[in-house]
């Protein structure tokens, strides 16, 4: 969600593809690295666990240094939009109970 607050709306699809690509490349490279370490260097599984824990902690700390994103404009899901439906979704006659329902 952070990525979408720092780019313009016209770049959302590109940001989505970059995010998805980097996630998949990270998953594949970490899996391959883990396999190679276990097979060729006889690293124990607990070492892989601590390696994962350490890199996740570093990634978490790095997020605190990201610049603050801009606040996105209100959308249909903002609290203000709950009070009034758009004209295309408005129900004539009030919107009470449906006939035949108990």
């Amino acid at each position: 969600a952070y990525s979408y607050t720092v780019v313009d709306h016209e770049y959302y699809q590109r940001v989505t593809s970059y995010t998805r690509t980097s996630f998949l490349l990270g998953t594949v490279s970490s899996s391959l690295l883990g396999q190679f370490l276990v097979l060729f260097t006889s690293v124990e599984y607990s070492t892989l666990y601590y390696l994962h824990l350490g890199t996740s902690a570093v990634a978490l700390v790095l997020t605190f240094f990201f610049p603050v994103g801009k606040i996105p404009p209100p959308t249909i899901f903002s609290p203000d939009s709950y009070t009034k439906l758009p004209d295309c979704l408005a129900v004539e006659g009030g919107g009470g109970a449906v006939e035949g329902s108990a």
Side-chain angles (χ1 to χ4, degrees):
Y2 171 79
S3 302
Y4 299 107
T5 65
V6 294
V7 298
D8 291 330
H9 181 69
E10 63 190 64
Y11 298 112
Y12 280 8
Q13 187 172 7
R14 185 173 290 181
V15 167
T16 301
S17 65
Y18 289 158
T19 303
R20 180 77 174 152
T21 301
S22 63
F23 173 77
L24 291 175
L25 286 175
T27 302
V28 168
S29 62
S30 65
S31 299
L32 290 175
L33 178 65
Q35 282 292 332
F36 288 136
L37 287 175
V38 169
L39 288 176
F40 298 120
T41 62
S42 65
V43 171
E44 295 182 13
Y45 290 117
S46 62
T47 305
L48 293 178
Y49 171 75
Y50 293 124
L51 181 65
H52 172 74
L53 183 65
T55 55
S56 296
V58 169
L60 176 67
V61 169
L62 286 177
T63 60
F64 292 110
F65 297 104
F66 286 172
V68 177
K70 60 186 174 205
I71 298 173
T75 63
I76 191 171
F77 302 110
S78 68
D80 296 336
S81 65
Y82 294 136
T83 58
K84 181 179 182 296
L85 288 173
D87 292 337
C88 63
L89 298 176
V91 178
E92 291 184 29
V98 179
E99 289 183 35
S101 64

